[in-house]
Amino acid sequence: MRFLATDHGQGLSKITREIVPAGMISNTTMNEDETYMREALAEAERAARQGEVPVGALVAAPSGDIIARAHNQPIGLNDPTGHAEILALRQAGAVVANYRLPGHVLYVTLEPCVMCVGAAADCGRCAYGGWRRR
């Protein structure tokens, strides 16, 4: 799994080019990443409106279709694993009828925690929008 850090405050393409080795990502991919990240941000807004930590996630299939989307819901679901990434990965697994998601991309608005990184290990790539404060 390759992690692609993006930061909307500093410009998606600038950060992408610093982290991904030269030649590994095209301008087309960067434009797609930004489009998908905007969709994930809409999910984060839903979480905020529900009083949850504002994190959103989605999974894009190799075809480019969004096959899953979710936002943080650990409070509403009374579930400590109710992170946006986990919920989106569960949906995607159900759609493809497999827990492995090679070639799929997980987009998440905030750097995934250790639990979510482990869950995303069988995903082709994970792109996130910002780093967690430590």
Side-chain angles (χ1 to χ4, degrees):
M1 174 172 46
R2 293 183 301 157
F3 279 88
L4 170 66
T6 59
D7 181 2
H8 291 287
Q10 300 213 3
L12 180 66
S13 61
K14 178 180 178 217
I15 301 299
T16 301
R17 287 189 180 138
E18 289 176 4
I19 293 177
V20 176
M24 293 284 294
I25 192 164
S26 67
N27 285 335
T28 302
T29 303
M30 287 186 284
N31 291 338
E32 290 171 358
D33 283 347
E34 188 168 2
T35 299
Y36 290 124
M37 193 59 71
R38 289 183 194 283
E39 292 290 324
L41 286 167
E43 286 295 324
E45 290 173 3
R46 287 183 186 92
R49 285 194 300 272
Q50 294 175 4
E52 303 276 1
V53 174
V55 178
L58 64 86
V59 177
S63 65
D65 294 334
I66 296 173
I67 62 169
R69 59 177 72 226
H71 55 273
N72 262 10
Q73 297 183 65
I75 298 168
L77 296 175
N78 296 311
D79 180 358
T81 68
H83 294 198
E85 303 94 309
I86 299 293
L87 299 173
L89 289 167
R90 285 178 182 160
Q91 287 176 25
V95 168
V96 301
N98 195 335
Y99 70 98
R100 294 181 188 239
L101 301 168
H104 293 69
V105 183
L106 172 65
Y107 290 92
V108 60
T109 57
L110 188 63
E111 177 184 17
C113 71
V114 173
M115 173 184 69
C116 294
V117 167
D122 287 320
C123 205
R125 184 166 67 97
C126 178
Y128 61 91
W131 291 272
R132 290 183 179 275
R133 292 183 186 177
R134 290 182 170 70

